[in-house]
Amino acid sequence: MAFFAELKRRNVIRVGIAYIVVAWLVLQFSDVVLNNVEAPDWVFQVIMLLLAIGFPLVLLFAWAFELTPEGIKKEKDIDRSQSITTQTGKKLSSTIFVLMALGIAYLLFDKFSSQSDVEHTAQQIPDPQALAVKVEKTLTPVQVSINPQSIAVLPFTNRSRQEEDEFFVAGMHDDLLTNLARIGSLKVISRTSVTQYKDTEKTIPDIARELGVATIMEGAVQRSGNTVRINVQLIDAESDKHLWAEIYDRELTTENLFAIQSEISQAIADALKTTLSPEEKQQINTRPTENLAAYNAYLRGRQLLAHRRSNELEQALQQFSKAVELDPQFALAWVGLAESTNLLSFYGTLAEEIGFPVIEDAVNKALAIDANNGEAYTSLASLYDSRGRYKEAETAYKKAIALTPNYATTYHWYGMLLLEFSSRSDESIDLFLKAQALDPYSAIINTALAGGYESGGLFSLAEQQYLKIIDFDNDFAEAYVSLAAMYILELGRFDKGVEYARKAAELDPGNFRPLSNLVMAYLNLGDARAVESTIQRMQELDASHYLTAFTSVPASLLTAKPAGTQELINWAMPKLQALPGSAQFIAQIQLQIGAVAKARELYLTTTPAWLQADQWSQLIEKYPDQACIVAWVFMQTGNEELGISLQQQTLSFHEQILSATHEHVDMFLTDVCYLAAGDTEKAITSITTQVEHGHLFLLDQAHAMPMYDPIREDPRYLAAMAEREQIILEQRSALQGQADL
């Protein structure tokens, strides 16, 4: 007690309290200031350390020294009768009171200002999903700032008034855009978006504001016999004044046409105060062909690609084939041949085993003619992607961007590559937004952006985006196809999937994907008659098409016995061998009919890397819904240790990585990972969550796999599946009376 009394007499306790209060205020002030100046974390940590070290030193100083009217003296040298520690103590108490009042005032201010900030933020950002992608984009994204070196070239006017010249004039416009796209310092809006302003009555400033550019170019073309007149003018959007104008009267030859385009490109660069590199000068001055007929065929082909309709893609392929036949040294025509073949493999009936060699040959020829052709590298990257050579594909896309930085298709297709990897959806969205900035009215690019949102589990945002596209271009089949697929595969709205898939099939009768969507929707609805009639329609289009084979296998489970399904798998697999994702889905069906050994064989035939642990990281990211199924198969077929390792790595990916990038991890069959580990409690919780979130796609078929045996009689599992069945019944009822295709 005597020691405590001495501490009190010497004001050590008061000094300690005052020090603590001051230190706390210093830390609060430092936190605010350092955050505002974005100082590194270690600066704040150093301040904390110094204050902590100072505390015992201050206490020691208060014990050993005393403040007197003559200054600071050692306590042992002061006569107790002359000590003024009582007065000093009163002053310290007053100081502590003031400091504590300041601290309380700060706490109250921080509390109420933070609450106000939260309320303000909630008002400004009502949809938390938008935060996941930083900003919600629309078909006409608002530009915060406009690049002064940006341009939109409006569609040229055809002054010859002859209908056959429309392709020529549109092609001239398209080719000029291609030339400008090679200038890296410019931002050039793509053709699809500027086409919206053909014959518009909108003012130049309004158009520029909607497209987010600083300058607008207008032009007119008049072809008469063997001569052509091209009239162009560059306009500053803000002032609506001419920056430059020129009229070109030339003989109609390829040499003159390309020379005019080069001159216009150089004039635009000069007017926008940008300097061309030697490589850019060489590219804009290169004449792609000397053959006017080949050039006309190429121009027609380019106009036919935009809408992605299967019949128009076939016509485009014919035009590009004609162009390279007329001029085998026409590199851009070879690129068009590769691109149209690629798109036909996806949107039409062209089998990939036939299309791949054609694409490869066309790309190689294009690059042999022009090794710096960015468009060719885009097609090469897509070919690598189709063959599973993802690193090479990414390298080729980056090369394409470096060579042709304004080619929106490169960003679009590069984003599609990244969509194949479940944890890279944010990167794909960024690429789609770059493509959208170059081509804001492109329906296919905006559809891809919706797909990026969908890939990240932002289904509400994706649905809004798809519906905006349909509202903007209600004849664009691909938006209906993609929206239907999302309703079916991810949201369990099979009735709505049928509605949109039917519309897509009506708009593009030669496209297999709407029909495939319909088969999958009808399978979930349990409508065997509708499944059979839709597959019959696919067979009439092309019985050997890979989607005909792919959809026929799960469809057989409605009617066939296991032996019949296995026979159908044997027929389908040669058509799916080059498509590992499809083949692994078929392996899953083999498990459903009890053919575990055959499932293992199929997994390893199509993807031998499953046996290589150093390849698992990429495989798990690409096939997060299949990896634990493969792990379970390994456990049942003599590779238990390997299977356990794969299961553990996959579950870790689901819980730690995928959960950070996707709003609905449960839809990736995480329940199989838990079942493979014997954790039935978490498996049932995962299944219950799937049903609650509407992830109902073919659950009845998937749950026929033997790893689900331990939970089949669990009341919670039975309740979840009964809930799914009730949802299905309600949707079937909603569809009653609607005619099948």
PDB file of all heavy atoms in Angstrom, residues 241-268:
ATOM      1  N   LYS A 241     -17.332  21.775 -85.351  1.00  0.00           N
ATOM      2  CA  LYS A 241     -16.622  22.442 -86.434  1.00  0.00           C
ATOM      3  C   LYS A 241     -15.720  21.461 -87.169  1.00  0.00           C
ATOM      4  O   LYS A 241     -15.254  20.484 -86.589  1.00  0.00           O
ATOM      5  CB  LYS A 241     -15.781  23.600 -85.890  1.00  0.00           C
ATOM      6  CG  LYS A 241     -16.607  24.743 -85.316  1.00  0.00           C
ATOM      7  CD  LYS A 241     -15.717  25.872 -84.814  1.00  0.00           C
ATOM      8  CE  LYS A 241     -16.557  27.025 -84.260  1.00  0.00           C
ATOM      9  NZ  LYS A 241     -15.705  28.130 -83.739  1.00  0.00           N
ATOM     10  N   HIS A 242     -15.471  21.741 -88.447  1.00  0.00           N
ATOM     11  CA  HIS A 242     -14.634  20.872 -89.263  1.00  0.00           C
ATOM     12  C   HIS A 242     -13.157  21.003 -88.872  1.00  0.00           C
ATOM     13  O   HIS A 242     -12.637  22.108 -88.752  1.00  0.00           O
ATOM     14  CB  HIS A 242     -14.791  21.207 -90.751  1.00  0.00           C
ATOM     15  CG  HIS A 242     -16.123  20.794 -91.307  1.00  0.00           C
ATOM     16  ND1 HIS A 242     -17.291  21.459 -90.997  1.00  0.00           N
ATOM     17  CD2 HIS A 242     -16.467  19.782 -92.148  1.00  0.00           C
ATOM     18  CE1 HIS A 242     -18.299  20.878 -91.613  1.00  0.00           C
ATOM     19  NE2 HIS A 242     -17.829  19.852 -92.318  1.00  0.00           N
ATOM     20  N   LEU A 243     -12.533  19.853 -88.676  1.00  0.00           N
ATOM     21  CA  LEU A 243     -11.093  19.837 -88.439  1.00  0.00           C
ATOM     22  C   LEU A 243     -10.325  19.635 -89.746  1.00  0.00           C
ATOM     23  O   LEU A 243      -9.198  20.101 -89.893  1.00  0.00           O
ATOM     24  CB  LEU A 243     -10.727  18.702 -87.466  1.00  0.00           C
ATOM     25  CG  LEU A 243     -11.301  18.802 -86.045  1.00  0.00           C
ATOM     26  CD1 LEU A 243     -10.957  17.553 -85.262  1.00  0.00           C
ATOM     27  CD2 LEU A 243     -10.756  20.041 -85.342  1.00  0.00           C
ATOM     28  N   TRP A 244     -10.983  18.912 -90.661  1.00  0.00           N
ATOM     29  CA  TRP A 244     -10.306  18.566 -91.919  1.00  0.00           C
ATOM     30  C   TRP A 244     -11.355  18.019 -92.882  1.00  0.00           C
ATOM     31  O   TRP A 244     -12.333  17.384 -92.473  1.00  0.00           O
ATOM     32  CB  TRP A 244      -9.213  17.523 -91.646  1.00  0.00           C
ATOM     33  CG  TRP A 244      -8.655  16.854 -92.852  1.00  0.00           C
ATOM     34  CD1 TRP A 244      -7.700  17.330 -93.696  1.00  0.00           C
ATOM     35  CD2 TRP A 244      -9.029  15.566 -93.359  1.00  0.00           C
ATOM     36  NE1 TRP A 244      -7.454  16.420 -94.697  1.00  0.00           N
ATOM     37  CE2 TRP A 244      -8.259  15.321 -94.504  1.00  0.00           C
ATOM     38  CE3 TRP A 244      -9.946  14.589 -92.956  1.00  0.00           C
ATOM     39  CZ2 TRP A 244      -8.370  14.162 -95.261  1.00  0.00           C
ATOM     40  CZ3 TRP A 244     -10.046  13.426 -93.702  1.00  0.00           C
ATOM     41  CH2 TRP A 244      -9.271  13.227 -94.829  1.00  0.00           C
ATOM     42  N   ALA A 245     -11.175  18.268 -94.169  1.00  0.00           N
ATOM     43  CA  ALA A 245     -12.083  17.730 -95.194  1.00  0.00           C
ATOM     44  C   ALA A 245     -11.300  17.527 -96.484  1.00  0.00           C
ATOM     45  O   ALA A 245     -10.311  18.224 -96.750  1.00  0.00           O
ATOM     46  CB  ALA A 245     -13.263  18.668 -95.414  1.00  0.00           C
ATOM     47  N   GLU A 246     -11.746  16.554 -97.270  1.00  0.00           N
ATOM     48  CA  GLU A 246     -11.049  16.273 -98.531  1.00  0.00           C
ATOM     49  C   GLU A 246     -11.993  15.556 -99.482  1.00  0.00           C
ATOM     50  O   GLU A 246     -12.909  14.838 -99.062  1.00  0.00           O
ATOM     51  CB  GLU A 246      -9.825  15.400 -98.271  1.00  0.00           C
ATOM     52  CG  GLU A 246      -8.912  15.204 -99.475  1.00  0.00           C
ATOM     53  CD  GLU A 246      -8.314  16.509 -99.974  1.00  0.00           C
ATOM     54  OE1 GLU A 246      -7.362  17.019 -99.352  1.00  0.00           O
ATOM     55  OE2 GLU A 246      -8.847  17.028-100.983  1.00  0.00           O
ATOM     56  N   ILE A 247     -11.788  15.790-100.775  1.00  0.00           N
ATOM     57  CA  ILE A 247     -12.521  15.084-101.834  1.00  0.00           C
ATOM     58  C   ILE A 247     -11.492  14.349-102.681  1.00  0.00           C
ATOM     59  O   ILE A 247     -10.495  14.926-103.110  1.00  0.00           O
ATOM     60  CB  ILE A 247     -13.319  16.058-102.705  1.00  0.00           C
ATOM     61  CG1 ILE A 247     -14.392  16.764-101.863  1.00  0.00           C
ATOM     62  CG2 ILE A 247     -13.975  15.318-103.872  1.00  0.00           C
ATOM     63  CD1 ILE A 247     -15.150  17.830-102.619  1.00  0.00           C
ATOM     64  N   TYR A 248     -11.737  13.053-102.906  1.00  0.00           N
ATOM     65  CA  TYR A 248     -10.833  12.238-103.714  1.00  0.00           C
ATOM     66  C   TYR A 248     -11.560  11.800-104.984  1.00  0.00           C
ATOM     67  O   TYR A 248     -12.599  11.116-104.909  1.00  0.00           O
ATOM     68  CB  TYR A 248     -10.391  10.994-102.933  1.00  0.00           C
ATOM     69  CG  TYR A 248      -9.661  11.303-101.642  1.00  0.00           C
ATOM     70  CD1 TYR A 248     -10.364  11.465-100.443  1.00  0.00           C
ATOM     71  CD2 TYR A 248      -8.274  11.440-101.621  1.00  0.00           C
ATOM     72  CE1 TYR A 248      -9.710  11.750 -99.263  1.00  0.00           C
ATOM     73  CE2 TYR A 248      -7.605  11.726-100.438  1.00  0.00           C
ATOM     74  CZ  TYR A 248      -8.324  11.878 -99.266  1.00  0.00           C
ATOM     75  OH  TYR A 248      -7.672  12.162 -98.102  1.00  0.00           O
ATOM     76  N   ASP A 249     -11.046  12.178-106.134  1.00  0.00           N
ATOM     77  CA  ASP A 249     -11.553  11.722-107.427  1.00  0.00           C
ATOM     78  C   ASP A 249     -10.472  10.836-108.048  1.00  0.00           C
ATOM     79  O   ASP A 249      -9.388  11.327-108.398  1.00  0.00           O
ATOM     80  CB  ASP A 249     -11.855  12.909-108.348  1.00  0.00           C
ATOM     81  CG  ASP A 249     -13.153  13.604-107.977  1.00  0.00           C
ATOM     82  OD1 ASP A 249     -14.176  12.905-107.890  1.00  0.00           O
ATOM     83  OD2 ASP A 249     -13.127  14.831-107.755  1.00  0.00           O
ATOM     84  N   ARG A 250     -10.747   9.551-108.169  1.00  0.00           N
ATOM     85  CA  ARG A 250      -9.733   8.629-108.667  1.00  0.00           C
ATOM     86  C   ARG A 250     -10.358   7.598-109.612  1.00  0.00           C
ATOM     87  O   ARG A 250     -11.572   7.324-109.563  1.00  0.00           O
ATOM     88  CB  ARG A 250      -9.075   7.873-107.508  1.00  0.00           C
ATOM     89  CG  ARG A 250      -8.461   8.756-106.435  1.00  0.00           C
ATOM     90  CD  ARG A 250      -7.130   9.343-106.833  1.00  0.00           C
ATOM     91  NE  ARG A 250      -6.648  10.291-105.835  1.00  0.00           N
ATOM     92  CZ  ARG A 250      -5.924   9.969-104.762  1.00  0.00           C
ATOM     93  NH1 ARG A 250      -5.591   8.716-104.558  1.00  0.00           N
ATOM     94  NH2 ARG A 250      -5.537  10.904-103.923  1.00  0.00           N
ATOM     95  N   GLU A 251      -9.489   7.013-110.411  1.00  0.00           N
ATOM     96  CA  GLU A 251      -9.886   5.848-111.205  1.00  0.00           C
ATOM     97  C   GLU A 251     -10.116   4.688-110.250  1.00  0.00           C
ATOM     98  O   GLU A 251      -9.408   4.521-109.250  1.00  0.00           O
ATOM     99  CB  GLU A 251      -8.779   5.499-112.200  1.00  0.00           C
ATOM    100  CG  GLU A 251      -9.134   4.325-113.114  1.00  0.00           C
ATOM    101  CD  GLU A 251      -7.998   3.947-114.041  1.00  0.00           C
ATOM    102  OE1 GLU A 251      -6.964   4.655-114.043  1.00  0.00           O
ATOM    103  OE2 GLU A 251      -8.135   2.935-114.739  1.00  0.00           O
ATOM    104  N   LEU A 252     -11.138   3.882-110.534  1.00  0.00           N
ATOM    105  CA  LEU A 252     -11.520   2.799-109.634  1.00  0.00           C
ATOM    106  C   LEU A 252     -10.582   1.600-109.806  1.00  0.00           C
ATOM    107  O   LEU A 252     -10.816   0.700-110.622  1.00  0.00           O
ATOM    108  CB  LEU A 252     -12.976   2.379-109.888  1.00  0.00           C
ATOM    109  CG  LEU A 252     -13.553   1.335-108.927  1.00  0.00           C
ATOM    110  CD1 LEU A 252     -13.424   1.797-107.485  1.00  0.00           C
ATOM    111  CD2 LEU A 252     -15.025   1.071-109.259  1.00  0.00           C
ATOM    112  N   THR A 253      -9.520   1.606-109.040  1.00  0.00           N
ATOM    113  CA  THR A 253      -8.589   0.474-108.992  1.00  0.00           C
ATOM    114  C   THR A 253      -8.306   0.178-107.529  1.00  0.00           C
ATOM    115  O   THR A 253      -8.466   1.046-106.654  1.00  0.00           O
ATOM    116  CB  THR A 253      -7.264   0.803-109.698  1.00  0.00           C
ATOM    117  OG1 THR A 253      -6.599   1.841-108.978  1.00  0.00           O
ATOM    118  CG2 THR A 253      -7.499   1.227-111.139  1.00  0.00           C
ATOM    119  N   THR A 254      -7.862  -1.039-107.260  1.00  0.00           N
ATOM    120  CA  THR A 254      -7.517  -1.370-105.871  1.00  0.00           C
ATOM    121  C   THR A 254      -6.388  -0.480-105.373  1.00  0.00           C
ATOM    122  O   THR A 254      -6.382  -0.059-104.216  1.00  0.00           O
ATOM    123  CB  THR A 254      -7.118  -2.844-105.750  1.00  0.00           C
ATOM    124  OG1 THR A 254      -6.063  -3.125-106.679  1.00  0.00           O
ATOM    125  CG2 THR A 254      -8.293  -3.757-106.026  1.00  0.00           C
ATOM    126  N   GLU A 255      -5.434  -0.183-106.252  1.00  0.00           N
ATOM    127  CA  GLU A 255      -4.315   0.666-105.853  1.00  0.00           C
ATOM    128  C   GLU A 255      -4.808   2.021-105.369  1.00  0.00           C
ATOM    129  O   GLU A 255      -4.385   2.531-104.323  1.00  0.00           O
ATOM    130  CB  GLU A 255      -3.346   0.845-107.015  1.00  0.00           C
ATOM    131  CG  GLU A 255      -2.141   1.709-106.669  1.00  0.00           C
ATOM    132  CD  GLU A 255      -1.172   1.841-107.835  1.00  0.00           C
ATOM    133  OE1 GLU A 255      -1.427   1.230-108.900  1.00  0.00           O
ATOM    134  OE2 GLU A 255      -0.165   2.544-107.662  1.00  0.00           O
ATOM    135  N   ASN A 256      -5.744   2.602-106.106  1.00  0.00           N
ATOM    136  CA  ASN A 256      -6.269   3.915-105.725  1.00  0.00           C
ATOM    137  C   ASN A 256      -7.123   3.847-104.460  1.00  0.00           C
ATOM    138  O   ASN A 256      -7.060   4.732-103.604  1.00  0.00           O
ATOM    139  CB  ASN A 256      -7.079   4.513-106.869  1.00  0.00           C
ATOM    140  CG  ASN A 256      -6.198   5.040-107.980  1.00  0.00           C
ATOM    141  OD1 ASN A 256      -5.032   5.340-107.767  1.00  0.00           O
ATOM    142  ND2 ASN A 256      -6.750   5.148-109.186  1.00  0.00           N
ATOM    143  N   LEU A 257      -7.941   2.790-104.368  1.00  0.00           N
ATOM    144  CA  LEU A 257      -8.808   2.671-103.194  1.00  0.00           C
ATOM    145  C   LEU A 257      -7.992   2.573-101.912  1.00  0.00           C
ATOM    146  O   LEU A 257      -8.277   3.255-100.915  1.00  0.00           O
ATOM    147  CB  LEU A 257      -9.712   1.437-103.333  1.00  0.00           C
ATOM    148  CG  LEU A 257     -10.842   1.533-104.359  1.00  0.00           C
ATOM    149  CD1 LEU A 257     -11.588   0.207-104.435  1.00  0.00           C
ATOM    150  CD2 LEU A 257     -11.809   2.652-104.000  1.00  0.00           C
ATOM    151  N   PHE A 258      -6.965   1.740-101.938  1.00  0.00           N
ATOM    152  CA  PHE A 258      -6.152   1.581-100.733  1.00  0.00           C
ATOM    153  C   PHE A 258      -5.290   2.810-100.474  1.00  0.00           C
ATOM    154  O   PHE A 258      -5.012   3.146 -99.320  1.00  0.00           O
ATOM    155  CB  PHE A 258      -5.292   0.316-100.836  1.00  0.00           C
ATOM    156  CG  PHE A 258      -6.116  -0.941-100.902  1.00  0.00           C
ATOM    157  CD1 PHE A 258      -5.873  -1.907-101.870  1.00  0.00           C
ATOM    158  CD2 PHE A 258      -7.152  -1.158-100.013  1.00  0.00           C
ATOM    159  CE1 PHE A 258      -6.633  -3.060-101.937  1.00  0.00           C
ATOM    160  CE2 PHE A 258      -7.924  -2.308-100.071  1.00  0.00           C
ATOM    161  CZ  PHE A 258      -7.665  -3.267-101.039  1.00  0.00           C
ATOM    162  N   ALA A 259      -4.878   3.480-101.530  1.00  0.00           N
ATOM    163  CA  ALA A 259      -4.116   4.717-101.349  1.00  0.00           C
ATOM    164  C   ALA A 259      -4.977   5.783-100.673  1.00  0.00           C
ATOM    165  O   ALA A 259      -4.507   6.513 -99.784  1.00  0.00           O
ATOM    166  CB  ALA A 259      -3.617   5.219-102.702  1.00  0.00           C
ATOM    167  N   ILE A 260      -6.246   5.873-101.068  1.00  0.00           N
ATOM    168  CA  ILE A 260      -7.167   6.836-100.437  1.00  0.00           C
ATOM    169  C   ILE A 260      -7.329   6.514 -98.953  1.00  0.00           C
ATOM    170  O   ILE A 260      -7.277   7.408 -98.095  1.00  0.00           O
ATOM    171  CB  ILE A 260      -8.535   6.820-101.154  1.00  0.00           C
ATOM    172  CG1 ILE A 260      -8.401   7.377-102.569  1.00  0.00           C
ATOM    173  CG2 ILE A 260      -9.568   7.617-100.356  1.00  0.00           C
ATOM    174  CD1 ILE A 260      -9.643   7.185-103.419  1.00  0.00           C
ATOM    175  N   GLN A 261      -7.506   5.238 -98.636  1.00  0.00           N
ATOM    176  CA  GLN A 261      -7.673   4.847 -97.238  1.00  0.00           C
ATOM    177  C   GLN A 261      -6.433   5.193 -96.419  1.00  0.00           C
ATOM    178  O   GLN A 261      -6.534   5.665 -95.286  1.00  0.00           O
ATOM    179  CB  GLN A 261      -7.981   3.353 -97.148  1.00  0.00           C
ATOM    180  CG  GLN A 261      -9.350   2.992 -97.683  1.00  0.00           C
ATOM    181  CD  GLN A 261      -9.597   1.496 -97.660  1.00  0.00           C
ATOM    182  OE1 GLN A 261      -8.841   0.757 -97.045  1.00  0.00           O
ATOM    183  NE2 GLN A 261     -10.630   1.051 -98.345  1.00  0.00           N
ATOM    184  N   SER A 262      -5.264   4.969 -96.997  1.00  0.00           N
ATOM    185  CA  SER A 262      -4.014   5.305 -96.301  1.00  0.00           C
ATOM    186  C   SER A 262      -3.912   6.803 -96.069  1.00  0.00           C
ATOM    187  O   SER A 262      -3.517   7.255 -94.985  1.00  0.00           O
ATOM    188  CB  SER A 262      -2.811   4.814 -97.111  1.00  0.00           C
ATOM    189  OG  SER A 262      -2.844   3.407 -97.257  1.00  0.00           O
ATOM    190  N   GLU A 263      -4.277   7.585 -97.081  1.00  0.00           N
ATOM    191  CA  GLU A 263      -4.211   9.040 -96.952  1.00  0.00           C
ATOM    192  C   GLU A 263      -5.190   9.541 -95.888  1.00  0.00           C
ATOM    193  O   GLU A 263      -4.871  10.436 -95.093  1.00  0.00           O
ATOM    194  CB  GLU A 263      -4.513   9.693 -98.301  1.00  0.00           C
ATOM    195  CG  GLU A 263      -3.430   9.481 -99.344  1.00  0.00           C
ATOM    196  CD  GLU A 263      -3.834  10.022-100.705  1.00  0.00           C
ATOM    197  OE1 GLU A 263      -4.554  11.043-100.751  1.00  0.00           O
ATOM    198  OE2 GLU A 263      -3.445   9.423-101.721  1.00  0.00           O
ATOM    199  N   ILE A 264      -6.391   8.976 -95.886  1.00  0.00           N
ATOM    200  CA  ILE A 264      -7.383   9.377 -94.881  1.00  0.00           C
ATOM    201  C   ILE A 264      -6.890   9.015 -93.483  1.00  0.00           C
ATOM    202  O   ILE A 264      -6.986   9.819 -92.542  1.00  0.00           O
ATOM    203  CB  ILE A 264      -8.747   8.718 -95.165  1.00  0.00           C
ATOM    204  CG1 ILE A 264      -9.343   9.248 -96.476  1.00  0.00           C
ATOM    205  CG2 ILE A 264      -9.712   8.964 -94.008  1.00  0.00           C
ATOM    206  CD1 ILE A 264     -10.608   8.534 -96.909  1.00  0.00           C
ATOM    207  N   SER A 265      -6.359   7.806 -93.325  1.00  0.00           N
ATOM    208  CA  SER A 265      -5.867   7.369 -92.016  1.00  0.00           C
ATOM    209  C   SER A 265      -4.763   8.287 -91.518  1.00  0.00           C
ATOM    210  O   SER A 265      -4.737   8.672 -90.335  1.00  0.00           O
ATOM    211  CB  SER A 265      -5.353   5.926 -92.103  1.00  0.00           C
ATOM    212  OG  SER A 265      -6.381   5.044 -92.502  1.00  0.00           O
ATOM    213  N   GLN A 266      -3.832   8.648 -92.413  1.00  0.00           N
ATOM    214  CA  GLN A 266      -2.740   9.533 -92.027  1.00  0.00           C
ATOM    215  C   GLN A 266      -3.275  10.932 -91.670  1.00  0.00           C
ATOM    216  O   GLN A 266      -2.829  11.555 -90.697  1.00  0.00           O
ATOM    217  CB  GLN A 266      -1.722   9.646 -93.159  1.00  0.00           C
ATOM    218  CG  GLN A 266      -0.509  10.508 -92.833  1.00  0.00           C
ATOM    219  CD  GLN A 266       0.330   9.936 -91.709  1.00  0.00           C
ATOM    220  OE1 GLN A 266       0.885   8.850 -91.828  1.00  0.00           O
ATOM    221  NE2 GLN A 266       0.425  10.662 -90.594  1.00  0.00           N
ATOM    222  N   ALA A 267      -4.245  11.405 -92.437  1.00  0.00           N
ATOM    223  CA  ALA A 267      -4.820  12.727 -92.177  1.00  0.00           C
ATOM    224  C   ALA A 267      -5.528  12.755 -90.820  1.00  0.00           C
ATOM    225  O   ALA A 267      -5.449  13.747 -90.079  1.00  0.00           O
ATOM    226  CB  ALA A 267      -5.783  13.111 -93.293  1.00  0.00           C
ATOM    227  N   ILE A 268      -6.226  11.679 -90.489  1.00  0.00           N
ATOM    228  CA  ILE A 268      -6.902  11.602 -89.179  1.00  0.00           C
ATOM    229  C   ILE A 268      -5.868  11.608 -88.058  1.00  0.00           C
ATOM    230  O   ILE A 268      -6.019  12.308 -87.053  1.00  0.00           O
ATOM    231  CB  ILE A 268      -7.785  10.340 -89.107  1.00  0.00           C
ATOM    232  CG1 ILE A 268      -8.994  10.494 -90.035  1.00  0.00           C
ATOM    233  CG2 ILE A 268      -8.238  10.072 -87.679  1.00  0.00           C
ATOM    234  CD1 ILE A 268      -9.816   9.231 -90.187  1.00  0.00           C
TER     235      ILE A 268
END
